[in-house]
Structures are given as C-alpha cells and as structure tokens.
Amino acid sequence: MFTSVLMIEKPLTSVDVEFVTTLHGDEAVSFVVLMQPRGAQADVLLRAIDDVALGELKDAVREGDVLEGEAAVAPAELALEHSLRALRAAGSEAVGQVVEDHPLDMLRAVVDDSNADEVIVLTAPHYVEEFFHRDWASRARHKVGVPVLKLFAHSE
C-alpha cells in the first residue's frame, strides 16, 4: 500500500479528496493527515499580505480575527475529523492528528514512523512565504527523505 503524509490547514473539500485519492491511479493509498490551524503557521502580517496579493481585501482586514493557540485547537480537531471521514468514505485508510507546535519536526517523525512514500502539502496559496521559500513544502523538502508535492486546496 502506498502511504502519503498529507499536511493540511483546513478541512478537505470533496474536490481535494477526489484529487489526492486518485493521484496514484488504482493503487491503494493510506493517509496520515497532519492538521495545523492556519493561524499557527504564519504571522498576521504575512497572511494579510497574501490576502492583498490575491485581491481578497476583506480577508486581509479580518486576519487579526483568525483563531490562534488554544482557541484554534477545537476547530482544527473538527476539521481533521471531517477530513478523515471523507478520505475513508473514498476508500482510503486514514489516520491523523492536530499539530500545534513545530509541524515540520512532527512531519519528519511521521514520515519515518509510517515509512511514507511521499508528502503532500495541501494549502491555500501563501505567496510571500513561497517567494522566500518559507512555506511548508519548501521547508519540508529539506527535512524529509521522500518526495514533497505541493497542491493548492480547493474551496466549496
């Protein structure tokens, strides 16, 4: 069975689930999902700049309202459970956890422990971080010994 570690920051949409579960054709895929709340991965200024770059000015104004710390854990757990159910409903094995601190350290440990074949980073665009190679995918490529695929999450 092919094992993918899937790093996400929001619940998977049906389009996301279909995409990641069909990446390897008919081969059976097992997922280890690492969910990190969006508010925990970048500071407010970087998120606001990304929103402005995407033309989402209303979102830029609300970046200070993104839940962080303990307040973000419960919604992240719900998002993770939703995503795991969707992957299982699509016929894949799926386990996961919310990652509150040091997601790349956790990623490295999970890749090693699960003998993962690849890492899929599924996030919204983060142009500032990507430009400076500070996004998850760029940083993960230097931490894990498996291919890292970066995909942009869909909205429903």
Side-chain angles (χ1 to χ4, degrees):
M1 180 173 290
F2 197 87
T3 302
S4 293
V5 177
L6 181 59
M7 294 185 73
I8 62 174
E9 63 187 6
K10 65 178 194 165
L12 296 175
T13 66
S14 58
V15 175
D16 295 331
V17 171
E18 181 177 356
F19 191 56
V20 298
T21 58
T22 60
L23 275 174
H24 300 287
D26 293 333
E27 187 169 1
V29 180
S30 171
F31 292 95
V32 179
V33 181
L34 300 179
M35 169 69 186
Q36 183 181 13
R38 182 170 186 244
Q41 63 176 285
D43 68 32
V44 174
L45 178 60
L46 289 180
R47 291 192 315 257
I49 292 171
D50 280 339
D51 291 335
V52 170
L54 291 168
E56 298 171 358
L57 299 178
K58 291 178 185 175
D59 290 340
V61 172
R62 289 191 297 261
E63 281 300 341
D65 298 335
V66 173
L67 297 176
E68 301 213 18
E70 288 297 317
V73 174
E77 288 172 346
L78 289 173
L80 173 64
E81 190 54 40
H82 165 82
S83 299
L84 293 175
R85 278 194 311 269
L87 289 167
R88 291 175 190 143
S92 296
E93 291 182 13
V95 296
Q97 63 187 27
V98 172
V99 180
E100 296 179 57
D101 296 314
H102 310 292
L104 295 175
D105 293 338
M106 175 63 74
L107 173 64
R108 184 179 191 169
V110 168
V111 166
D112 291 343
D113 292 346
S114 65
N115 293 315
D117 298 293
E118 71 181 356
V119 171
I120 300 172
V121 178
L122 186 67
T123 69
H126 299 293
Y127 295 117
V128 174
E129 291 175 326
E130 290 167 23
F131 180 78
F132 291 107
H133 303 287
R134 299 293 302 151
D135 59 299
W136 281 356
S138 296
R139 292 168 44 204
R141 288 184 181 105
H142 301 288
K143 285 260 193 196
V144 299
V146 298
V148 176
L149 177 63
K150 180 175 184 168
L151 303 173
F152 291 124
H154 292 83
S155 299
E156 283 189 321

